[in-house]
């Protein structure tokens, strides 16, 4: 019988919550998942995490690590039937060291990304990871889900920023891999394996991350294009022309923009309407590079050859913010429209037009009139292929499952993945079992069982 | 009793070598390791690799995958007492696809890095991985050892270039993870785990790699500095000032240069002698960026504040090549001097001066007069802390083991690693058992056993 008393004694009232006091930790962001835990542990340091893990081992309890609880797939709350605790890193928020010579930062896992951006900015540094939830998402969760965002095309996902990790293993032992090293090939790359492991191998408690000199100049444009194929070609052209400076290439369709402007009163930066828009951003940490001129010259060539039909380069910081706001609030526009189905998939960049066309046709076959809003990261092929019901209808009429299956199947059929940057959590576990190659599934099961033989780490997630 | 007949029948005379015909495959690059194998398999495609692996499974044979056989630690040849085969990828050398829109290339594992550079160059693309052995090293081996080189500070190690992998598992099953995706978070990052696994989990047969637009301009300088601490500070300064363009920061001491010039007649590019030299390179794929002016302005400031005592910026391609030649042939100078001990370690960049000072003092305590030649990659803290005997002596007088132990211990004590970019192979296996944190060793053993329960994949390597 699980006994909360030792947790209460270990952690005190600030570090252990039960029942109503645990609200805010037990359900996921979208309020779709979350069984009641024995309690929520809020340790204040690695030693307390280890002690909590030992107590769970003694009592045979499951452990679900939780960062900012911003995940969309229910990965950071308990699955139905699991008997265990939530281990929140929300009190481990210290930035331990910023080293401007090494370009590293050492943090506790509970540091919020926006807070880290602010602290780094004061030293002229940046961590090139930007996503919508950065005001709540915590570093440990960003590592555990191998977060992506809009700058992954230039700087890689979270895994590319991780130099060293400290984690507490299922039996309570502390793994000290907190080394500030780019090159560290002393056996398997455990630091990489923990990225995207969604808390199934242990609890990340501290990390050393790479930083870079902060940008001092940016140039941002919004383009209108005749179709997605033109956008892919324009992206390849911009890579050649703007090289090291190209930091973001985001795309969205007219439908997404129209839904947003229907619900949120914002100006249209470009006069010519879609069907496709491309947000382009260049950034540099070097003064005097003339990014605007570089971007304008490239756009002039694209306009002249007709692959871009209209475009505007932001002339002020306010214009730049207005362009980004369209991209960042796109999901909010669709949310306010009513029912929706979200998909986080990726395909090879060159096959984006094929995927979007085929998935759109398949969705329309299943539910005529369904509204398709594919947007995302052109630079890395990650598309949020989100759906709204036909105009005037409140729901998908029981076809949501069939629609999702079609989208995921086609992503895989186009050489892509059914899970790009949001992880699997609980919501994609059956999907993963269906679509993962058998050899891949077997390897993942074997690794998980090898490192957590009792199966107590975040059960019913990932594999 | 192992039976070569099925291998002969499967692979034919071009694909199976025994006895004297296997020379060139069975001993390592430095001729220090390599037990006699039953034979060397040279399959021509993934299907044949899988068939070879099934034969090995049937006969209970060990399998050591081999690429270009350029490794320095005996990882690609059989260990003493192992009964098995060498599986060479040397006949799988096809470049399957270069995609200039996606910036990807798909290759068989046996492609030689220099050949890939050439093919990519013809399309205006580059793979930012450069190392001394690129004329022989093959992609599969570069992945299996997670190769580093001189551009890892800017672009990461080999793992950062890998998008997708195909590998044959110990039981002969083919894992198809050959996806051209930056974002692919559908469970554990198996593609990362195979990087640096040194052939212990399976045989890499194909890979999709990221490419980038090829540089169209470079600016290269060689600087003289008063000490290594000044070099570290200069490196941090250059990062701030030259931002996205900074592609290499290599350092070496006066001793290394003197040994090279003693044995190879080359000009000195800078008049002022060390003690420390720094090679700085900027690169860009954008025309007209004025890299030389940018580098010269930064150097002028460094000279004025006295942290750099002398410097020259290459004015021609020939001067640039001459500067790089000094860095690249540095190991050759020391080799020609006679006996040497090589160490491939890394420490956090900021602790390089401390490590070099302490390790130098410790070495001199053990063997007075020992000549210390620490050189390598200032941008990532990877130092090849190589030793020559005291002037006029032919060997280390039986102290090589004590000297190496001191160097490795101090690297770890300075927050570093005993293995940065060369992998472990056979030569560092005992060292790894001694210096690896216990939790790390246990996780590695568990992973290895989980994926290769019979222990037939490259035994006595890695862990």
């Amino acid at each position: 019988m699980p006994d909360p008393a030792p947790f209460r004694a270990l952690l005190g009232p600030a570090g252990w919550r039960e029942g109503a006091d645990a609200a805010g930790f037990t359900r996921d962001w979208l309020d779709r998942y979350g069984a009641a835990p024995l309690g929520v542990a809020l340790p204040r340091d690695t030693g307390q995490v280890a002690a909590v893990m030992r107590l769970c081992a003694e009592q045979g309890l499951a452990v679900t690590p939780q960062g900012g609880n911003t995940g969309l797939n229910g990965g950071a709350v308990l699955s139905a039937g699991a008997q265990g605790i939530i281990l929140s890193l929300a009190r481990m928020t210290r930035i331990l060291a910023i080293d401007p010579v090494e370009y590293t930062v050492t943090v506790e896992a509970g540091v919020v990304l926006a807070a880290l951006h602010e602290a780094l900015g004061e030293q002229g540094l940046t961590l090139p990871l930007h996503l919508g939830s950065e005001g709540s998402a915590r570093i440990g969760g960003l590592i555990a889900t191998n977060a992506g965002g809009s700058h992954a095309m230039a700087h890689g996902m979270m895994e590319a920023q991780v130099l060293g990790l400290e984690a507490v293993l299922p039996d309570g032992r502390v793994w000290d891999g907190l080394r500030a090293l780019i090159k560290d090939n002393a056996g398997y790359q455990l630091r990489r394996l923990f990225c995207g492991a969604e808390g199934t191998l242990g609890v990340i408690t501290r990390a050393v991350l790479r930083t870079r000199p902060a940008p001092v100049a940016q140039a941002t444009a919004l383009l209108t294009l005749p179709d997605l194929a033109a956008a892919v070609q324009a992206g390849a052209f911009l890579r050649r022309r703007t090289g090291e400076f190209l930091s973001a290439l985001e795309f969205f369709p007219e439908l997404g923009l129209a839904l947003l402007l229907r619900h949120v009163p914002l100006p249209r930066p470009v006069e010519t309407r879609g069907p496709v828009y491309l947000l382009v951003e260049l950034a540099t940490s070097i003064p005097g590079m003339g990014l605007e001129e570089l971007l304008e010259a490239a756009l002039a060539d694209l306009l002249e050859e007709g692959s871009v039909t209209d475009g505007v380069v932001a002339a002020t910081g306010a214009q730049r913010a207005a362009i980004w706001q369209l991209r960042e609030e796109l999901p909010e526009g669709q949310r306010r429209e009513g029912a929706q189905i979200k998909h986080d998939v990726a395909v090879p960049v060159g096959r984006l037009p094929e995927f979007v066309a085929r998935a759109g046709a398949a969705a329309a076959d299943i539910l005529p009139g369904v509204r398709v809003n594919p947007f995302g990261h052109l630079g890395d092929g990650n598309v949020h292929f989100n759906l709204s019901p036909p105009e005037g209808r409140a729901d998908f009429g029981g076809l949501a499952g069939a629609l999702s299956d079609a989208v995921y199947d086609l992503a895989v059929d186009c050489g892509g993945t059914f899970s790009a940057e949001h992880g699997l959590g609980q919501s994609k576990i059956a999907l993963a079992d269906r679509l993962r190659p058998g050899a891949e599934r077997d390897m993942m099961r074997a690794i998980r069982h090898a490192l957590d033989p009792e199966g107590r780490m975040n059960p019913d997630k990932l594999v």
Side-chain angles (χ1 to χ4, degrees), chain A residues 141-187:
Chain A
L142 292 161
I143 296 171
T145 56
N146 195 17
S150 53
H151 289 61
M153 67 163 286
H155 301 291
M157 304 191 75
M158 191 66 189
E159 61 186 353
Q161 325 310 329
V162 170
L163 298 180
L165 289 179
E166 177 191 82
V168 180
L169 305 184
D171 62 4
R173 281 198 300 171
V174 177
W175 166 45
D176 179 2
L178 204 63
R179 297 184 286 268
L181 299 173
I182 290 177
K183 292 179 179 170
D184 188 8
N185 273 325

Side-chain angles (χ1 to χ4, degrees), chain A residues 49-354:
Chain A
V49 174
V52 167
M53 294 291 276
R54 286 193 298 268
L55 285 179
C56 291
E58 283 167 18
Q59 297 197 27
L61 288 169
V63 179
T64 291
Q66 184 180 94
N69 196 18
T70 64
L72 299 175
N73 293 316
V77 293
L78 246 60
S79 57
Q83 194 165 52
I85 69 160
I86 285 173
L87 195 162
S88 166
L89 282 302
R91 286 173 76 210
M92 290 176 57
T93 57
R94 284 180 298 173
I95 296 172
L96 300 165
I98 296 177
D99 190 324
V101 171
E102 283 174 20
Y103 287 85
T104 59
V105 58
T106 306
V107 296
E108 289 185 329
V111 169
V112 170
L113 180 54
L116 182 58
H117 280 156
E118 195 181 328
L120 290 174
E122 288 168 8
Q123 310 252 0
L125 300 173
T126 189
L127 179 78
L129 185 81
H130 297 280
L131 31 75
S133 60
E134 63 189 51
S136 317
R138 299 180 190 274
I139 296 299
L142 292 161
I143 296 171
T145 56
N146 195 17
S150 53
H151 289 61
M153 67 163 286
H155 301 291
M157 304 191 75
M158 191 66 189
E159 61 186 353
Q161 325 310 329
V162 170
L163 298 180
L165 289 179
E166 177 191 82
V168 180
L169 305 184
D171 62 4
R173 281 198 300 171
V174 177
W175 166 45
D176 179 2
L178 204 63
R179 297 184 286 268
L181 299 173
I182 290 177
K183 292 179 179 170
D184 188 8
N185 273 325
Y188 298 127
Q189 291 290 306
L190 299 174
R191 57 182 174 171
R192 303 280 171 257
L193 186 63
F194 272 75
C195 294
E198 301 193 26
T200 61
L201 305 180
V203 181
I204 295 164
T205 45
R206 292 197 283 179
V208 187
L209 307 175
R210 289 187 75 169
T211 70
R212 293 160 199 271
V216 297
Q218 274 130 339
T220 308
L222 188 66
L223 317 181
T224 306
L225 298 108
D227 53 38
L228 196 50
V232 168
Q233 292 296 332
F237 173 85
L238 287 164
R239 279 206 191 189
R240 283 195 299 278
R241 283 289 287 272
T242 64
E244 296 78 28
F245 299 138
L246 187 60
S247 65
L249 268 180
E250 301 280 306
F251 75 102
F252 50 90
E254 172 62 26
L255 174 73
L257 184 59
L259 288 182
L260 174 60
L261 300 185
R262 177 184 291 181
H263 298 286
V264 184
L266 293 169
R268 273 186 184 266
V270 278
E271 289 186 13
T272 312
R273 300 211 169 184
V276 176
Y277 301 93
L278 190 58
L279 186 164
V280 183
E281 185 154 284
L282 314 187
T284 181
S285 63
I286 316 169
M289 284 292 106
L291 292 193
E292 270 181 44
E293 294 77 4
L294 188 68
L295 185 53
E296 276 165 1
L299 295 190
D301 287 353
L302 285 169
L303 280 161
E304 192 176 305
E305 71 177 35
S307 55
V308 164
T309 46
D310 198 0
V312 58
V313 177
T316 64
Q319 284 181 13
R320 177 177 173 255
I323 289 174
W324 269 106
Q325 192 181 8
L326 295 181
R327 167 61 186 89
E328 283 169 354
E329 297 211 4
L330 210 73
E332 179 65 10
Q334 193 163 21
R335 191 189 68 80
R336 294 206 196 174
E337 180 73 2
Q340 59 170 324
I341 316 173
K342 289 168 172 278
H343 301 102
D344 167 47
V345 302
V347 296
V349 172
R351 297 186 73 176
L352 263 177
E354 175 198 348

Side-chain angles (χ1 to χ4, degrees), chain A residues 360-395:
Chain A
D365 275 350
I366 294 167
L367 177 60
V370 66
R371 288 176 293 168
V372 177
N373 183 18
F375 64 93
H377 314 290
L378 190 90
D380 56 40
N382 177 195
V383 49
H384 302 297
F385 194 90
N386 294 358
L387 304 175
S388 290
E391 189 84 48
R393 282 185 48 178
D395 59 39

